[in-house]
């Protein structure tokens, strides 16, 4: 789960990381009150709050250029804000559909001397958090990594010991800090690592982290992602979830404890177990199809969950076929069968459905389906099932 920049900055501030003063607004009638909190001669940046990067270079569908704008006066800030709020911003990261801007953040403009890049994430191979820093901030870090990898410093942190002072110094030196700014950088690093660790973050990315002309180190942008599986430990973070920016179907799935991820293809998969879900998607692709989603109903799903899973799948207009692939272990095949039948009673299944059941209570499951009168195609192996659904979808669309 990702949170908006203004929430991320509030969290960073709690950890002693310096961020610019700012105020978030959700409607036009809050503009004046929000702007009155800045000194009259202040230079204000208006920032669109969406969960995608590249906002600075983004373009609104109404033609307005830039989702992050430096303004010269409060009047201009207000005019810019009117152009942004409620409109759809397209950036290199949003895809062509863009994202509707529902929140704006007014913030003090810093006097930037230099922009740095800083990120903390989990290095799965090393099984340790890694801090990635570069003196080339504000730009595409992928580009720096490709063209000048020597400008990137990586430091692994031993999770049992935490960030050591010598490691923080190594990063600050590596970025060329000295004097009082050096101490500011150490303090920022310490706070950033602590947020990452305490809140079970999967990513803390500050691009840019800046050195101001006054010699302070300030986080100008903040992207924080959290491990969904650890959110139950952080209700205060879970409360920051922005449902407007999440796939409706994913939100609905999480209410039913289903692991669901929308994909771009047209063959929906309903599977139990993440490994089986991955191989089901692979084999659909092998036969020339494209999965519409990843849906793992888990080991112990009940009829209600299976019904919910079906409804979520069927609410997706791009779905042209469904493949149910269940290996009955803890999850019994008859439970799945009952779920399919219950779902078919409440929502009409208008696309081809291929079902492959195997394992515990398989005969009962198949018998229930056969007696239900539902029009579906049974398959007896994963390959058989994948090939059948790919062909059915192809026939339908030709
Ligand atoms: P994004 O990465 O989505 O484009 P950023 O928050 O990084 O959005 O803003 C883009 C650029 O705008 C930054 O690299 C920085 O140069 C400038 N910027 C952002 N916030 C401020 C600020 N408070 N003061 C001065 N410049 C800013
Ligand atoms: Mg940025």
């Amino acid at each position: 789960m990702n949170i908006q920049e203004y929430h991320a900055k509030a969290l960073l501030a709690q950890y002693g990381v310096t961020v610019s003063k700012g105020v978030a607004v959700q409607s036009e009638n809050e503009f004046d009150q929000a702007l009155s909190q800045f000194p009259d001669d202040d230079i204000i940046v208006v920032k669109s709050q969406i969960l995608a990067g590249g906002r600075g270079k983004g373009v609104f569908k109404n033609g307005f250029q830039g989702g992050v704008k430096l303004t010269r006066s409060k009047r201009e800030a207000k005019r810019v804000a009117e152009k942004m709020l409620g409109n759809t911003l397209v950036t290199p990261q949003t895809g062509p559909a863009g994202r509707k801007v529902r929140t704006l953040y007014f913030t003090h403009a810093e006097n930037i001397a230099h922009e740095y890049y800083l990120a903390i994430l989990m290095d799965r191979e090393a099984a340790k958090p890694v801090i990635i820093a570069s003196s080339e901030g504000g730009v595409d870090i992928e580009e720096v990594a490709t063209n000048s990898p020597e400008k990137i410093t990586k430091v692994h942190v031993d999770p049992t010991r935490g960030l050591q002072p010598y490691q923080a110094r190594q990063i600050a030196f590596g970025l060329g800090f000295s004097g009082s700014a050096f101490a500011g950088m150490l303090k920022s690093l310490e706070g950033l690592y602590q947020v990452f660790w305490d809140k079970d973050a999967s990513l803390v990315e500050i691009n840019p982290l800046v050195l101001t002309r006054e010699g302070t180190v300030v986080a100008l942008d903040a992207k924080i992602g959290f491990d969904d599986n650890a959110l139950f430990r952080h209700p205060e973070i879970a409360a920051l979830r922005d449902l407007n920016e999440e796939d409706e179907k994913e939100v609905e799935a999480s209410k039913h404890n289903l692991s669901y991820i929308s994909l771009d293809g047209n063959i929906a998969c309903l599977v139990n177990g993440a490994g089986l879900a991955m191989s089901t998607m692979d084999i659909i692709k092998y036969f020339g199809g494209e999965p519409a989603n990843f849906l793992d109903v888990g080991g112990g799903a009940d009829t209600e969950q299976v019904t919910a899973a079906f409804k979520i799948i069927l609410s997706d207009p791009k779905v042209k076929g469904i493949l149910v692939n269940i290996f009955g272990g803890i999850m019994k095949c008859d439970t799945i069968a009952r779920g399919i039948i219950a779902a078919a009673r409440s929502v009409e299944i208008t696309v081809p459905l291929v079902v492959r059941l195997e394992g515990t209570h398989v005969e009962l499951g198949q018998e229930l389906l056969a007696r239900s009168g539902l029009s579906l195609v049974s398959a007896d192996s994963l390959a058989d099932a994948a090939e059948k659904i790919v062909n059915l979808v192809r026939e339908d669309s030709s």
Side-chain angles (χ1 to χ4, degrees):
M1 182 193 95
N2 293 324
I3 56 174
Q4 299 288 2
E5 176 196 0
Y6 73 104
H7 283 139
K9 284 185 169 170
L11 183 60
L12 292 180
Q14 286 171 25
Y15 278 77
V17 178
T18 307
V19 295
S20 329
K21 176 191 166 57
V23 187
V25 294
Q26 264 99 23
S27 68
E28 286 199 8
N29 46 30
E30 294 167 77
F31 288 175
D32 288 329
Q33 156 72 12
L35 289 167
S36 72
Q37 297 178 47
F38 294 88
D40 278 336
D41 56 351
D42 207 0
I43 298 183
I44 293 166
V45 184
V46 187
K47 306 187 78 171
S48 305
Q49 300 295 288
I50 56 169
L51 294 179
R55 294 166 300 166
K57 293 181 209 139
V59 180
F60 283 88
K61 290 209 163 159
N62 62 6
F64 189 75
Q65 303 260 340
V68 173
K69 280 283 209 198
L70 199 94
T71 60
R72 297 283 152 199
S73 66
K74 289 186 182 179
R75 251 207 4 253
E76 190 189 346
K78 202 171 155 181
R79 216 170 45 231
V80 164
E82 282 162 1
K83 294 269 192 297
M84 292 183 180
L85 193 65
N87 290 307
T88 301
L89 178 60
V90 180
T91 83
Q93 290 183 23
T94 60
R99 300 272 173 90
K100 185 165 172 182
V101 176
R102 296 165 198 268
T103 303
L104 288 179
Y105 191 53
F106 292 115
T107 182
H108 166 69
E110 298 295 339
N111 235 326
I112 303 173
H114 193 89
E115 302 193 37
Y116 300 86
Y117 175 91
L118 202 124
I120 309 176
L121 59 155
M122 202 54 90
D123 179 341
R124 292 179 186 279
E125 223 159 283
K128 285 175 181 166
V130 60
I131 301 181
I132 299 174
S134 172
S135 54
E136 305 282 301
V139 291
D140 239 346
I141 194 66
E142 288 81 4
E143 214 171 281
V144 182
T146 318
N147 300 330
S148 32
E150 73 287 353
K151 288 189 177 147
I152 294 181
T153 309
K154 280 190 189 179
V155 172
H156 282 94
V157 180
D158 178 341
T160 61
R161 299 172 71 206
L163 179 66
Q164 298 295 298
Y166 81 89
Q167 295 183 304
R169 289 197 296 272
Q170 186 188 336
I171 296 167
F173 273 127
L175 295 176
F177 277 84
S178 62
S180 67
F182 189 85
M185 185 61 192
L186 297 187
K187 188 157 178 265
S188 301
L189 280 167
E190 203 179 297
L192 292 169
Y193 182 79
Q194 217 48 49
V195 170
F196 175 84
W197 188 254
D198 286 1
K199 302 295 181 186
D200 293 304
S202 47
L203 172 73
V204 173
E205 186 184 55
I206 312 299
N207 188 23
L209 179 71
V210 304
L211 174 63
T212 65
R213 298 208 181 274
E214 297 77 30
T216 50
V217 176
V218 183
L220 279 203
D221 192 3
K223 175 175 179 182
I224 308 186
F226 300 89
D227 180 347
D228 286 340
N229 292 320
L231 273 181
F232 74 97
R233 303 206 289 197
H234 310 288
E236 76 293 356
I237 301 286
L240 303 177
R241 176 161 238 149
D242 192 339
L243 294 179
N244 286 321
E245 291 227 23
E246 294 191 23
D247 185 304
E248 265 172 55
K249 295 184 285 302
E250 289 178 18
V251 174
E252 184 61 24
S254 72
K255 284 188 204 152
H256 297 277
N257 266 323
L258 302 164
S259 304
Y260 172 92
I261 295 162
S262 261
L263 300 169
D264 294 332
N266 57 6
I267 298 177
C269 318
L270 190 154
V271 187
N272 65 327
L276 191 59
M278 297 302 283
S279 39
T280 304
M281 296 195 305
D282 279 350
I283 205 154
I284 287 174
K285 278 179 166 275
Y286 177 82
F287 284 105
E290 285 293 334
N293 69 278
F294 169 103
L295 199 165
D296 172 11
V297 295
D302 56 23
T303 309
E304 181 273 324
Q305 279 173 296
V306 175
T307 312
F310 253 94
K311 284 189 182 164
I312 290 165
I313 283 176
L314 288 163
S315 71
D316 184 349
K318 67 179 189 301
V319 168
K320 300 292 179 246
I322 304 172
L323 171 55
V324 174
N325 182 27
I326 296 294
F327 191 85
I330 301 168
M331 156 73 92
K332 314 276 189 299
C333 292
D334 60 305
T335 304
I336 281 290
R338 285 180 225 279
I340 297 173
I341 296 163
R345 273 199 201 112
S346 49
V347 253
E348 196 191 353
I349 301 180
T350 48
V351 294
L353 169 64
V354 173
V355 179
R356 180 246 178 171
L357 300 176
E358 195 52 83
T360 313
H361 295 185
V362 62
E363 293 83 6
L364 178 57
Q366 275 162 352
E367 192 188 316
L368 286 169
L369 288 177
R371 270 198 279 133
S372 72
L374 278 177
S375 112
L376 56 84
V377 177
S378 308
D380 45 36
S381 74
L382 178 47
D384 180 41
E387 198 173 4
K388 279 179 172 155
I389 191 67
V390 170
N391 287 336
L392 285 168
V393 167
R394 197 174 286 147
E395 281 162 25
D396 265 16
S397 62
S398 61

